[in-house]
Amino acid sequence: MPTNPYMNWWSDKNEQLLLHELMTEAIQFHGLDVYYLPRIMRREDSLYSEDVLSQFVSIFPIEVYLKNVAGWDGQGNFLNKFGLNIEHTFTVMVSTDRFNEIVPSARMVGGRVSGSSSSTELSGIGTNFGDALRVGEQIMTQTTRQIRTVMSVANNERLTMNAAFDTAVVSEFYVIVPPPNPFPIPSRPMEGDWIYIPLPIDKMFEIKFVENEKAPGQFYPLGTKTFYELSLETFTYSHEEVRTGDPAVDFVETEHAYSQDLVVSLGGSGDYILGETVYQGATAEAPAATGVVALWDANNTVLRITDITGVFANAIPVIGMTSLASRGLGVEVCPLLIPTDLLNDNRYLADADDEFLDTREGDPFKDPFLGGSARC
Amino acid sequence: MLTQFYHHLLRKYHIAFGSLFKQITLVRNDTTDSNGVEMQRFVVPIEYAPRETWVARLRDDPQIKQQFSTVLPRLAYEMTAMRYDPSRRLNSLNTRVRPIPGDSTNARRYFVGVPYVLVFSLYAITRSIEDANQIMEQVIPYFAPDYTLLVKLFPSIGILDRMRIVMDGNPQWLDTWEGDGFTKTRDVLLTFNFNVAATFYGPIAGTSASLIRKVIVDMYDSSYDASLTDHSYLLTNTYDHLLREDMSGVLLTEEDASSIGDIARVVRIEVVPDPLNAIPVKPVNTTTTITEYSDGRVTNVYVGHDTDIGV
């Protein structure tokens, strides 16, 4: 027996729009402004279904409604073998309309590309552009953050851009810049994305689950879904790259990622720029070591870098790709000294065992990365 | 028993064990195979797991504003138990002598140590299987199933011990992906268990021992050789009787020394250090002198010099 054609509880567009607007308005009245950080996967592992090179380069302010009113759920603060854990969980509601409006669905990321500073061409490094890019789309290089428009795809491995690059593009990933689409493709919050709740809460969370049917009031009222319910947990950082350009969020990487302090006291000049890539080596195209500037203390000539590749060697200039600052590394780097991790014992162990480990029969700590010795 | 002493041995064993893993380094490439370009390289932090709660709080979150749960990957280790190791037991009355640096006349003497097995656990926690794989592959090849460190437990004295570290059983792999994956962060926890051969020593400092600076060996040529070279025979301090004792010092026989009156040394070998006041640190040069005798004397073990036995 068909439903009563005079009673329309499931598909009345006007009623649905009203409900959506009421929900959006209610969240805006009682909610909280947060920042949404979509995750970009740079190396999805099809075997293990994980990505160890995830990246967060864009940030979207959006309002949410906190369902917890009496405090956090979860275990709270607890101590385990690995130190202090703060495990807060809670639930927020976000309007489906507002999410579609604010957070674009385009979160594609390409492979690595390279190009010189005098050319409009980009070469893919192990990257087959294939159908990923179309003429007219804009891409942004992720380290030097240069935005160019794709003029042609010469073949699957070469692109021509609308203008030459300001600085050389050296093995950088690119992202597709979301176009201002008047008809945005519906997007949804995704598990694994991050949400930063600013002061006074001042915490970063990871979306563990997006509920779109089961929450109270969520089961298709008037035949539509007006909000997502997000289960959040304080995030566990694993050296993901966080470069949104907003220091309120980028602190995650600059203050907590593995880092090294380079004492660049051996001549040279120039001031490094936060967020720029620095390198050692004959050319920027083939660097021996790279890092990203997290802190530059010009008075003490100490350069803190994260996202390190290779090994920085003593007495070799450290060159900034953007600033072109060039200063010689004056003190041998100790990779066991991690200035952004106050809890570790790596450096202490290296110093303490000097006294009583006898290496005459062979040093168990010789390692090419450490220059043949861990005595630092 | 009541003498105060503390050699910091447990602390040294804790440091030596942790040191093995202080530079485990992860490299993340842009591809999952070995042909990728390096994108990140970092040393995995390690710490001794047990700690005061308040110290952890002050070090981890001094401003009470920690904005996240934790940072992974991490390593931690702890000593979970210790037990006596009878398989390495030595006679507890045995002593060892070590030179005192710069002192050519005295040395330190100490009883052999008491063997113990220290049970350690090493834990690794990562956010991904890939990171866990790298840590696993940097640990297990060194333990087949043992790895031995040479440690100077008393650097100022020069006591060297071999610290044998044996991986006990199989590493444990716990991946929390199932069940609570939508409410709790998944992580991979690796646990390695080790048995570490340790030795503990009693008081050493302040104990001096005279050094042996001359070794004399008399050689005989008679039917009584056995009486004079077997350690169970002794000549009395009045050199008129020959005693034979068992290993515990119980007298077995006593004979008139006249029974050995017809023997005497025929060759004496003397070994002394060169120079005579050499500091007893290896290698020590020695001078050996071999002298033939027909003087009818023997060396009295009690009075320490030659004695005419009237041959």
Side-chain angles (χ1 to χ4, degrees):
Chain A
M1 174 183 163
T3 56
N4 186 335
Y6 301 103
M7 303 300 291
N8 185 1
W9 297 106
W10 287 91
S11 57
D12 187 323
K13 291 294 180 190
N14 289 331
E15 291 295 316
Q16 288 178 348
L17 280 174
L18 176 61
L19 189 60
H20 275 270
E21 287 179 6
L22 286 173
M23 176 57 69
T24 299
E25 191 174 347
I27 291 175
Q28 287 173 334
F29 259 66
H30 301 285
L32 183 69
D33 288 324
V34 302
Y35 295 98
Y36 191 91
L37 290 84
R39 177 187 294 264
I40 291 175
M41 291 199 288
R42 289 194 294 175
R43 203 203 80 172
E44 185 175 1
D45 189 323
S46 58
L47 178 65
Y48 296 140
S49 300
E50 61 189 20
D51 176 36
V52 296
L53 286 176
S54 283
Q55 188 181 49
F56 297 84
V57 293
S58 43
I59 184 169
F60 301 94
I62 192 169
E63 68 279 359
V64 298
Y65 176 73
L66 273 64
K67 290 193 72 175
N68 294 52
V69 293
W72 308 113
D73 293 328
Q75 292 191 63
N77 299 348
F78 65 96
L79 196 61
N80 65 10
K81 301 176 183 71
F82 305 99
L84 184 66
N85 267 259
I86 298 181
E87 187 188 297
H88 294 318
T89 61
F90 76 117
T91 308
V92 299
M93 292 164 57
V94 59
S95 158
T96 53
D97 283 3
R98 285 286 291 158
F99 193 86
N100 281 342
E101 179 187 338
I102 298 289
V103 184
S105 61
R107 59 180 74 219
M108 292 182 61
V109 61
R112 293 184 317 107
V113 290
S114 278
S116 75
S117 58
S118 58
S119 170
T120 57
E121 281 202 344
L122 270 183
S123 302
I125 299 177
T127 300
N128 190 331
F129 295 114
D131 296 327
L133 281 174
R134 286 184 289 276
V135 172
E137 282 185 315
Q138 284 190 316
I139 66 168
M140 180 177 74
T141 57
Q142 292 201 340
T143 303
T144 52
R145 304 182 77 82
Q146 301 175 86
I147 297 177
R148 296 290 185 274
T149 303
V150 177
M151 301 305 290
S152 68
V153 181
N155 56 43
N156 277 345
E157 294 180 348
R158 296 186 76 80
L159 296 174
T160 305
M161 317 307 294
N162 64 324
F165 292 93
D166 298 331
T167 55
V169 177
V170 183
S171 297
E172 295 182 37
F173 276 91
Y174 72 85
V175 290
I176 301 173
V177 179
N181 192 338
F183 305 104
I185 304 166
S187 63
R188 75 166 184 89
M190 291 193 181
E191 289 81 359
D193 289 353
W194 290 357
I195 286 180
Y196 172 68
I197 302 182
L199 290 168
I201 291 177
D202 191 23
K203 289 194 185 329
M204 187 76 85
F205 294 87
E206 182 173 308
I207 298 175
K208 305 309 297 180
F209 190 68
V210 178
E211 179 61 66
N212 71 336
E213 285 184 336
K214 201 174 172 185
Q218 203 181 27
F219 190 65
Y220 301 98
L222 298 177
T224 186
K225 293 182 286 188
T226 59
F227 67 93
Y228 300 107
E229 189 174 274
L230 313 181
S231 299
L232 307 180
E233 184 188 34
T234 40
F235 86 108
T236 298
Y237 184 55
S238 187
H239 304 275
E240 290 89 349
E241 191 178 301
V242 186
R243 310 263 173 78
T244 65
D246 186 339
V249 174
D250 293 352
F251 76 88
V252 171
E253 181 172 8
T254 56
E255 295 183 14
H256 302 293
Y258 173 79
S259 61
Q260 292 178 358
D261 280 349
L262 309 182
V263 181
V264 283
S265 57
L266 205 63
S269 62
D271 286 315
Y272 300 97
I273 300 171
L274 291 186
E276 76 166 320
T277 299
V278 296
Y279 71 95
Q280 271 189 340
T283 63
E285 286 76 15
T290 66
V292 174
V293 177
L295 191 68
W296 167 231
D297 179 355
N299 292 330
N300 298 306
T301 63
V302 175
L303 178 66
R304 180 168 296 172
I305 56 171
T306 62
D307 237 5
I308 297 162
T309 68
V311 180
F312 280 86
N314 205 17
I316 305 288
V318 179
I319 302 166
M321 279 190 180
T322 306
S323 66
L324 300 181
S326 177
R327 292 169 180 261
L329 185 57
V331 178
E332 190 169 349
V333 179
C334 173
L336 304 184
L337 181 61
I338 311 172
T340 46
D341 187 315
L342 299 178
L343 204 63
N344 77 83
D345 292 328
N346 301 58
R347 174 63 183 269
Y348 174 80
L349 292 170
D351 288 344
D353 71 15
D354 268 355
E355 184 191 10
F356 59 90
L357 276 188
D358 193 306
T359 56
R360 285 176 299 177
E361 295 181 353
D363 185 349
F365 304 120
K366 280 188 175 176
D367 185 300
F369 170 45
L370 299 167
S373 171
R375 309 285 177 234
C376 60
Chain B
M1 193 71 164
L2 299 178
T3 304
Q4 194 284 331
F5 66 95
Y6 176 42
H7 302 313
H8 300 86
L9 294 181
L10 277 169
R11 184 182 186 86
K12 288 170 184 170
Y13 282 120
H14 294 170
I15 290 172
F17 178 81
S19 252
L20 284 176
F21 312 103
K22 67 178 180 287
Q23 62 195 61
I24 287 181
T25 303
L26 300 193
V27 174
R28 291 171 172 173
N29 290 344
D30 64 348
T31 62
T32 53
D33 58 26
S34 56
N35 300 320
V37 175
E38 181 177 318
M39 300 296 290
Q40 278 184 340
R41 175 187 289 263
F42 54 91
V43 173
V44 183
I46 184 171
E47 63 227 49
Y48 193 71
R51 69 201 77 192
E52 276 280 1
T53 310
W54 59 270
V55 172
R57 176 69 160 167
L58 292 180
R59 287 172 69 184
D60 261 15
D61 191 16
Q63 304 298 321
I64 321 181
K65 64 167 195 177
Q66 187 163 320
Q67 294 126 320
F68 52 89
S69 177
T70 188
V71 179
L72 301 184
R74 297 194 81 82
L75 293 167
Y77 70 102
E78 64 177 326
M79 188 184 77
T80 56
M82 52 193 298
R83 62 174 184 269
Y84 184 69
D85 184 4
S87 67
R88 291 189 296 122
R89 182 190 176 195
L90 298 175
N91 186 329
S92 56
L93 294 178
N94 286 356
T95 58
R96 287 176 175 167
V97 176
R98 294 297 303 170
I100 300 172
D103 188 338
S104 61
T105 57
N106 296 300
R108 288 193 175 92
R109 188 167 62 186
Y110 60 96
F111 288 98
V112 294
V114 180
Y116 266 79
V117 171
L118 309 183
V119 181
F120 278 89
S121 290
L122 172 72
Y123 312 99
I125 186 168
T126 70
R127 196 58 190 85
S128 64
I129 297 175
E130 176 69 23
D131 286 355
N133 286 351
Q134 289 200 42
I135 293 174
M136 179 66 81
E137 290 193 22
Q138 288 181 60
V139 171
I140 53 178
Y142 290 99
F143 299 94
D146 65 319
Y147 184 86
T148 302
L149 284 176
L150 192 60
V151 290
K152 295 177 283 191
L153 292 179
F154 301 87
S156 62
I157 301 175
I159 297 177
L160 284 171
D161 264 1
R162 295 198 184 277
M163 179 177 164
R164 185 167 178 256
I165 304 166
V166 183
M167 185 177 280
D168 185 21
N170 299 317
Q172 297 159 30
W173 183 293
L174 177 65
D175 191 333
T176 62
W177 68 275
E178 274 186 303
D180 293 334
F182 282 130
T183 54
K184 290 175 64 67
T185 298
R186 169 268 190 109
D187 50 48
V188 181
L189 178 65
L190 311 180
T191 304
F192 307 86
N193 295 312
F194 298 90
N195 291 330
V196 174
T199 309
F200 293 92
Y201 297 91
I204 296 176
T207 304
S208 296
S210 297
L211 295 176
I212 297 172
R213 292 200 165 270
K214 179 183 283 188
V215 176
I216 301 174
V217 177
D218 283 348
M219 303 181 72
Y220 299 85
D221 182 16
S222 83
S223 57
Y224 284 89
D225 276 2
S227 302
L228 294 164
T229 56
D230 190 323
H231 69 275
S232 62
Y233 287 91
L234 296 171
L235 194 62
T236 60
N237 58 352
T238 53
Y239 54 85
D240 53 357
H241 283 82
L242 183 67
L243 311 177
R244 183 164 180 261
E245 299 175 342
D246 66 10
M247 295 298 289
S248 59
V250 175
L251 182 64
L252 298 176
T253 61
E254 180 175 351
E255 300 175 32
D256 192 318
S258 62
S259 62
I260 58 170
D262 59 344
I263 63 139
R265 63 192 178 188
V266 292
V267 172
R268 165 165 291 187
I269 302 172
E270 286 187 2
V271 181
V272 296
D274 178 20
L276 290 175
N277 62 348
I279 296 173
V281 177
K282 290 180 181 178
V284 175
N285 294 327
T286 57
T287 302
T288 302
T289 307
I290 301 174
T291 310
E292 293 187 13
Y293 288 100
S294 58
D295 57 0
R297 295 158 74 92
V298 297
T299 300
N300 188 304
V301 296
Y302 288 101
V303 297
H305 55 71
D306 293 351
T307 301
D308 188 345
I309 58 173
V311 177

